[in-house]
Amino acid sequence: NRLVARDWTPPGAALLPAETEASLRILACYLIRRAGRLLRLPQAAILTAQILLHQFYCQLPATRWPPEDAALG
């Protein structure tokens, strides 16, 4: 049995509805993709940054770290 990300909630996730947290993650991934394209980074680097962002939010609540800070920090 693999742990599916949507079945596991990080600490403090109860403070945000699931739809809001998903929207914040999508926004952060968009910011990463946009910055990566402006910097002309390889697609693999952009995807790696997006994966690391999702892993970050699996450990810490989205209420403590806004997507702009997590994506561009």
Side-chain angles (χ1 to χ4, degrees), residues 11-24:
L15 301 174
L16 284 178
E19 296 83 16
T20 304
E21 185 176 350
S23 295
L24 290 174

Side-chain angles (χ1 to χ4, degrees), residues 4-73:
V4 179
R6 68 176 181 270
D7 294 337
W8 185 81
T9 55
L15 301 174
L16 284 178
E19 296 83 16
T20 304
E21 185 176 350
S23 295
L24 290 174
R25 287 184 184 211
I26 290 169
L27 172 65
C29 284
Y30 172 77
L31 292 173
I32 289 171
R33 187 183 71 202
R34 183 80 175 133
R37 286 186 178 172
L38 288 173
L39 294 170
R40 297 184 179 166
L41 295 175
Q43 185 69 24
I46 296 169
L47 294 175
T48 301
Q50 290 175 336
I51 290 169
L52 291 173
L53 174 94
H54 286 297
Q55 290 177 350
F56 176 80
Y57 275 131
C58 283
Q59 298 296 319
L60 297 170
T63 55
R64 185 170 174 204
W65 299 96
E68 298 87 9
D69 293 345
L72 302 175

